[in-house]
Amino acid sequence: MSNIESVLNEVRVFEPSAEFVKQANVSGMQAYQALCKAAEQDYPGYWANLARETLQWKKPFTKSLDESNAPFFKWFEDGELNVSYNCLDIHLAERAEKTAIIFESDDGKVSKVSYRELHGRVSQFANGLKSRGIGKGDRVVIYLPMSIEAVVAMQACARIGAIHSVVFGGFSAKSLHERITDAKACAVITADAQMRGGKQMPLKPIVDEALATGGCESVHSVIVYRRSGNNVEWNDGLDIWWHDLFNSQPTHCEPEWVGAEHPLFILYTSGSTGRPKGVQHSSAGYLLGAMLSMKWVFDYKDSDIFWCTADVGWVTGHSYVAYGPLAMGATQVVFESVPTYPDAGRFWKMVQDHKVTTFYTAPTAIRSLIKLGGELPKQYDLSSLRLLGTVGEPINPEAWMWYYNTVGQGRCPIVDTWWQTETGSHMIAPLPGAMPIKPGSCTLPLPGIMASIVNEAGDEVHDQHGGFLVIKRPFPSQIRTIWGDPERYRKSYFPEEMHGYYLAGDSAHRDDDGYFWIMGRIDDVLKVSGHRLGTMEIESALVANPLVAEAAVVGKPHEIKGEGIVAYVVLKGSRPSDPNKSREIAEDLRNWVSKTIGPIAKPDEIRFGDNLPKTRSGKIMRRLLRAIANGEEISQDVSTLENPAILDQLKNAI
Ligand code: WTA
C-alpha cells in the first residue's frame, strides 16, 4: 500500500482572487494556520471555545472531550441543548421573515417558507408526532421525496428528541425493511408517491410491502404526505395522513432539551461486508461540525443563497440541507427533481432564477451534465455564483476545469470536500479565501482535524507515498457507534494496528505542499453515481435468485456514474453456452437486483463463469475480477489463487 504512487500528475494551481480573500471568513493562509495552531496547542480547549461560541446551550457544558472509554468518545457531555432550537428558534428575533427554503418542484412550481413559518410547521408536526406517543429516543424512519416536508419531519424529530433514520426514496422494500427492523422504528413517515423527471414513483406501496414482510411489529404509525393524490391502500390501524395529523396541532412546541451526546440520527450506509451499518451521530458535536464547515468551507454570509443538490437520504442532505444551512440562518434552495429534467440546463436555470451564490453538487452530476449539455451553462446568467463545491468521489481534473471555467466562469473557487457519512461534516477541504486550489485535490484538513496517511502498520508515510487515510484524534462531529453493534464500530474504524486512529477506508497521498489527493476506497465498496454500495449487498441479492449459485461484484469506470457495476455470476446449472440464452438470463438478473435492492444497484454487465477466482481459504479475489472487467493484464501475484485456470475462462466470459 505504502508503495503505491500517484499516477495523476496535476500541476495547475488557482489562487483565490484578492476580492474573495478580502471578504472571506477565514482570510489568507495565516488566518488558517493560526486556527490550526490553536487546535494543536490546546485541543480540548480549542473545541470547547468553538462549541461555546457557535451553539446555543440550555445548560452549559463543563467537560470538553472525554476519551476515557475510547473509541466511544464523548464531547461536551454534561451540556444540554436542542438541535431544532439551534436551527429555528434562534432566528426568530432577527430573521423571522427571511426565507429559509425556496422549494422548486419537479414541474417547476416554486414555494417559499420563512423562518417563522418553518418554525411553526416543525412545531406543529412535532406536536403531531407527540400525539402518536412518539418521544425522546424513539426511532422514526423517514422515506420521503425531497420536499419542505422532509426537512420538517427531520427537524420535528430533533425537536422532540426522537432519532430519525432517513432512507433514500430510491431504495427497495427489502432495503427499507432491513433498516426499519434494525432500528426497531416505531413510525415511518412517507408520501403516496414521488415525482422525478415528470414521472411518478410510488412510495407508500413500498412501505406497505416492507411492513408486510414481517418483523416490523415495532411500527405503530405510518404517516403519509399527499404528494401525487393517487389512491393508496389504507390500513386504518396504522396509517394516518400527514395533513390530518398536522392541521389540528398548535404552532408552539417546547423543544425537548437533550444531552450533547443524545443521538440525533442514524443513517445507514453500506459496509464492505454484510448488513448496512447504522451510523449513529450525536447532537452537539454533529451540529458544531455542520456549522463550522458552513462558515469556513462555504464561507457562509447572511446574503448567500445556498444550494446543496444532495437528497436528504444521504449524509450530505443531512448536514448541508436539513441542519447546517438552517443553523446558520441561510436561505437555501431545495429541489425535488433531477438535473436533466426537462433538459440538462435545469440546474443552471435554477441558479439563474433563484440567484444562487453557493452551489454544491457531486462529480457524477457534473459528468452527466458535461455529457448532455456541456455548452448549456453559457445560455444562463450565472453571475450570482461566487463559490462552487463538490462531494462524494474524487473529481477528475478535466471535469473540475469545466466546472471552474464554464460554470464558475473562472471567478468562483471550488471547494472539493472530502468527508464521509461517518465524519458528519467536511474533514479535508479548502478554506476558499485562505488556500490556493488544485484540480482533483481536496487540499488541506479543516483546522483541528488531524488527518494523516499511514501504512499497514499504522506508521506515517512520507509525502508522495500512498497509504491509508486516518484521522489521528477524535473530533466532535464523528460517528459515535454503529447502532446496536458497538463491536462492529470498533473493528471497522479503529482496528488495532492503527494506534487508535480513525481509519477512513480510503487511500490517499500528499504532495509537496501537503495537499491531500484521495485515491479511492481500500475495501470493495462501490461508488455508483455518488452513492456507496456494498458489493456484498448486491451479491447477496444475486445469490437470492433461484438460478444463481455464487456472485462477485466489482466496479468498472463509467463515464457518467463514476463506477458501473460488473457482476460475475456462477449459475446453479451449467454455464449457458448459447449467447441469446445468456443475454436473456443476464437481463432477468439485472432486473432482479433492481427490484430487490433498487434501480441504483442494477448491474451494468453480467458475465457468467463456472467458478470465481478464490484464495485457498475460499475468499473471492475481487481485485483480479476488477482487472479482468477493466481489460487489464493481471500483473498481481496469483500464487495464492486456488484455481488459476478460471482467470482465462472469465476473461472470455460473455
Ligand atoms: C468518497 C459522502 C474523493 C470517499 C459525504 C469517502 C470522496 C466516501 C470525496 C464517503 C472527495 C467523498 N474526494 N472522494 N471530495 N468525498 N468521497 O459516506 O471514498 O457517501 O470515503 O459520504 O466517498 O461516502 P459517503
Side-chain angles (χ1 to χ4, degrees):
M1 200 50 230
S2 56
N3 292 326
I4 294 180
E5 295 293 329
S6 167
V7 288
L8 197 84
N9 185 23
E10 177 57 57
V11 292
R12 288 169 285 198
V13 181
F14 297 84
E15 301 277 346
S17 69
E19 207 184 332
F20 195 97
V21 174
K22 208 168 115 207
Q23 59 81 59
N25 292 340
V26 179
S27 179
M29 205 56 181
Q30 278 179 353
Y32 165 73
Q33 281 157 349
L35 284 166
C36 295
K37 201 163 161 213
E40 268 158 38
Q41 280 169 347
D42 172 12
Y43 193 72
Y46 166 82
W47 286 115
N49 285 340
L50 288 170
R52 274 188 208 104
E53 283 164 16
T54 312
L55 302 172
Q56 297 276 331
W57 295 86
K58 179 72 175 173
K59 177 175 165 241
F61 60 90
T62 62
K63 297 189 266 181
S64 179
L65 168 62
D66 177 356
E67 296 182 85
S68 58
N69 187 27
F72 300 92
F73 305 107
K74 292 182 177 143
W75 285 95
F76 325 122
E77 194 199 352
D78 59 345
E80 282 178 12
L81 81 178
N82 178 281
V83 167
S84 164
Y85 178 90
N86 271 273
C87 291
L88 300 170
D89 306 48
I90 58 158
H91 304 306
L92 296 181
E94 275 173 30
R95 51 177 80 80
E97 301 311 322
K98 183 177 175 180
T99 299
I101 298 178
I102 303 170
F103 174 70
E104 184 164 321
S105 67
D106 193 48
D107 62 4
K109 281 204 194 72
V110 174
S111 40
K112 297 182 182 179
V113 284
S114 66
Y115 272 91
R116 186 179 48 74
E117 287 163 326
L118 189 62
H119 174 265
R121 287 200 206 180
V122 168
S123 303
Q124 247 177 309
F125 193 66
N127 285 327
L129 293 176
K130 286 209 278 193
S131 75
R132 300 291 287 193
I134 301 167
K136 186 176 171 188
D138 290 336
R139 276 81 59 208
V140 174
V141 163
I142 297 176
Y143 189 62
L144 281 170
M146 279 301 277
S147 51
I148 294 173
E149 285 69 25
V151 176
V152 168
M154 292 165 81
Q155 285 282 342
C157 287
R159 195 161 190 90
I160 63 171
I163 304 167
H164 60 67
S165 180
V166 183
V167 178
F168 174 58
F171 275 121
S172 68
K174 183 174 174 290
S175 307
L176 182 62
H177 175 262
E178 202 166 33
R179 287 154 173 78
I180 292 171
T181 50
D182 189 82
K184 296 197 178 57
C186 68
V188 180
I189 306 174
T190 189
D192 47 4
Q194 59 181 330
M195 300 295 303
R196 280 166 84 86
K199 293 195 202 78
Q200 260 190 40
M201 281 175 290
L203 286 175
K204 169 75 163 59
I206 296 175
V207 175
D208 292 343
E209 196 184 330
L211 296 183
T213 313
C216 299
E217 294 72 24
S218 57
V219 176
H220 60 62
S221 300
V222 176
I223 301 161
V224 188
Y225 171 66
R226 186 179 273 155
R227 171 64 184 92
S228 69
N230 282 356
N231 279 337
V232 285
E233 300 257 334
W234 207 250
N235 180 340
D236 280 331
L238 208 57
D239 300 343
I240 177 161
W241 286 110
W242 172 294
H243 50 263
D244 287 340
L245 185 72
F246 180 90
N247 288 347
S248 55
Q249 299 294 336
T251 55
H252 173 82
C253 174
E254 181 66 12
E256 176 83 28
W257 305 106
V258 298
E261 283 295 317
H262 180 71
L264 178 64
F265 65 85
I266 307 167
L267 182 59
Y268 285 86
T269 185
S270 299
S272 53
T273 53
R275 294 175 296 118
K277 303 187 265 199
V279 172
Q280 178 185 320
H281 276 286
S282 69
S283 293
Y286 169 79
L287 190 64
L288 180 62
M291 291 178 77
L292 289 176
S293 49
M294 285 293 301
K295 184 172 155 194
W296 288 341
V297 179
F298 291 129
D299 191 47
Y300 174 71
K301 301 284 163 18
D302 203 34
S303 52
D304 277 332
I305 309 285
F306 183 83
W307 185 15
C308 162
T309 68
D311 192 283
V312 289
W314 312 109
V315 72
T316 309
H318 282 59
S319 305
Y320 303 108
V321 178
Y323 292 109
L326 295 179
M328 301 303 284
T331 297
Q332 69 171 322
V333 175
V334 171
F335 179 40
E336 181 176 39
S337 186
V338 295
T340 48
Y341 179 75
D343 62 47
R346 183 72 182 265
F347 273 179
W348 320 129
K349 180 169 189 311
M350 286 179 62
V351 167
Q352 169 184 282
D353 291 353
H354 304 303
K355 301 195 169 47
V356 172
T357 61
T358 313
F359 180 72
Y360 189 40
T361 196
T364 182
I366 296 171
R367 283 192 297 266
S368 71
L369 294 177
I370 293 172
K371 187 173 157 74
L372 294 169
E375 296 302 311
L376 284 177
K378 297 193 178 131
Q379 297 178 15
Y380 297 91
D381 176 6
L382 304 181
S383 59
S384 58
L385 286 172
R386 67 179 198 93
L387 184 65
L388 302 173
T390 72
V391 57
E393 342 162 53
I395 176 163
N396 78 33
E398 290 321 310
W400 193 103
M401 288 307 303
W402 177 84
Y403 198 30
Y404 189 78
N405 288 326
T406 309
V407 180
Q409 297 162 347
R411 182 184 68 240
C412 309
I414 295 178
V415 289
D416 175 350
T417 61
W418 178 85
W419 60 295
Q420 308 176 294
T421 304
E422 293 86 343
T423 70
S425 55
H426 302 155
M427 294 285 107
I428 309 179
L431 272 49
M435 60 204 65
I437 47 180
K438 305 181 186 185
S441 169
C442 51
T443 74
L444 298 168
L446 269 63
I449 300 302
M450 307 299 182
S452 189
I453 297 170
V454 301
N455 62 20
E456 288 99 331
D459 300 323
E460 272 179 81
V461 298
H462 299 292
D463 292 349
Q464 287 295 2
H465 285 292
F468 300 128
L469 182 56
V470 294
I471 300 171
K472 289 162 66 180
R473 298 219 58 187
F475 49 94
S477 70
Q478 84 189 62
I479 175 175
R480 292 303 191 264
T481 188
I482 291 176
W483 181 257
D485 201 346
E487 209 32 49
R488 191 172 177 204
Y489 161 75
R490 183 201 297 275
K491 281 200 193 124
S492 311
Y493 304 112
F494 299 91
E496 253 163 50
E497 58 281 12
M498 290 294 141
H499 314 312
Y501 299 167
Y502 168 81
L503 179 68
D506 283 340
S507 57
H509 75 100
R510 253 181 300 198
D511 68 16
D512 291 340
D513 297 322
Y515 277 39
F516 284 74
W517 299 76
I518 306 294
M519 295 159 75
R521 300 289 300 164
I522 56 180
D523 57 20
D524 289 317
V525 173
L526 303 176
K527 198 80 204 220
V528 181
S529 301
H531 307 316
R532 267 163 99 179
L533 299 173
T535 52
M536 194 59 200
E537 286 177 280
I538 306 171
E539 290 163 5
S540 302
L542 282 163
V543 173
N545 185 289
L547 294 176
V548 176
E550 242 187 334
V553 162
V554 296
K556 176 181 176 176
H558 185 286
E559 205 186 333
I560 291 168
K561 296 195 284 186
E563 251 186 322
I565 302 173
V566 183
Y568 288 87
V569 170
V570 181
L571 293 179
K572 281 182 182 154
S574 57
R575 191 156 54 100
S577 50
D578 170 4
N580 287 331
K581 185 74 193 157
S582 160
R583 264 195 294 277
E584 192 184 306
I585 301 175
E587 195 49 32
D588 287 347
L589 291 178
R590 292 176 67 233
N591 292 331
W592 167 273
V593 175
S594 174
K595 176 140 184 12
T596 35
I597 310 188
I600 192 143
K602 187 173 183 174
D604 296 273
E605 283 176 50
I606 294 206
R607 300 186 192 177
F608 298 99
D610 288 327
N611 204 341
L612 299 169
K614 288 180 194 154
T615 62
R616 280 164 219 276
S617 63
K619 283 201 181 66
I620 298 167
M621 295 178 77
R622 289 188 188 76
R623 62 189 168 93
L624 297 180
L625 289 174
R626 210 172 294 131
I628 296 173
N630 290 296
E632 293 161 10
E633 273 311 304
I634 294 179
S635 53
Q636 291 114 318
D637 178 16
V638 293
S639 59
T640 53
L641 196 61
E642 187 197 48
N643 47 350
I646 195 66
L647 294 180
D648 284 318
Q649 187 194 81
L650 291 173
K651 270 186 215 157
N652 304 314
I654 46 170

